Amino acid sequence: MTESEVIAEQAKGNSCFLIKIGMFYNAYNEGAYALAKITGYKVKTKQRKRLGTIYVLGFPISQLPKIITKIKENNGNIKRNTDDVVEFEGIDISSTDVVVAAEEYTQPVSETNRSSNVKEMVLRELREYDLSNSSPMDAINFIAKLKRELQRKD
């Protein structure tokens, strides 16, 4: 499912979705509000060309069992749980009492600053990568992604 598909499906009011994106699960709009209420995580705003402002809550895949437990503890129901999508219902999806953090504005960087920023990002991602919860294919894809970032020239 894409972001736009998730947002459209949730707008119908039946279910909320967690979507696996790389090493994280993301919840959007109503799903983000629901999880923020039961976890205390912050919801962030993101700008998308086709969708405008959307609301996102993300967490590492290693936290999924805790999130599922929280959903169930708060009278929620897991309708579907596959490798890439978790569908749940029964949690309050209103935006009241939800902390929303504005998207950080980043200034354009020069090529020399970009190079050092990319290297810092790669080092940070390497430090934060959860190798023990990754398949060999996940690790190979992660390394390939980092390599592309290091080789990319704007």
Side-chain angles (χ1 to χ4, degrees):
M1 293 182 89
T2 64
E3 286 180 346
S4 57
E5 291 171 337
V6 168
I7 290 168
E9 189 65 30
Q10 287 180 159
K12 295 177 184 175
N14 299 329
S15 297
C16 295
F17 297 88
L18 297 173
I19 305 301
K20 184 178 176 189
I21 308 288
M23 298 303 296
F24 290 86
Y25 275 94
N26 286 343
Y28 300 95
N29 293 354
E30 292 87 354
Y33 299 146
L35 289 182
K37 289 181 180 190
I38 63 174
T39 63
Y41 292 167
K42 288 184 182 174
V43 174
K44 295 182 180 180
T45 60
K46 301 282 184 178
Q47 294 297 318
R48 299 292 190 259
K49 286 182 182 180
R50 294 185 179 163
L51 301 171
T53 301
I54 63 171
Y55 301 92
V56 181
L57 181 147
F59 58 88
I61 60 172
S62 61
Q63 296 298 308
L64 183 61
K66 292 179 183 176
I67 299 298
I68 288 175
T69 300
K70 287 261 189 196
I71 291 170
K72 291 177 180 177
E73 287 173 350
N74 287 277
N75 300 318
N77 178 36
I78 304 297
K79 291 177 68 175
R80 174 174 41 158
N81 186 356
T82 65
D83 286 339
D84 297 331
V85 178
V86 176
E87 183 178 358
F88 66 97
E89 63 183 2
I91 305 292
D92 179 18
I93 61 170
S94 68
S95 61
T96 56
D97 301 325
V98 173
V99 176
V100 177
E103 182 175 32
E104 293 181 15
Y105 174 76
T106 55
Q107 296 227 340
V109 292
S110 68
E111 187 58 36
T112 55
N113 285 343
R114 183 201 172 282
S115 177
S116 66
N117 287 346
V118 168
K119 288 176 184 175
E120 288 173 19
M121 180 272 305
V122 167
L123 287 172
R124 183 182 67 248
E125 287 194 27
L126 278 171
R127 283 187 203 104
E128 294 173 356
Y129 188 74
D130 187 6
L131 189 58
S132 62
N133 286 322
S134 302
S135 70
M137 187 55 76
D138 288 337
I140 289 169
N141 289 334
F142 177 71
I143 291 168
K145 178 189 127 198
L146 295 179
K147 184 176 179 182
R148 281 191 306 274
E149 279 296 319
L150 288 170
Q151 293 174 339
R152 193 178 92 190
K153 293 181 181 167
D154 288 351

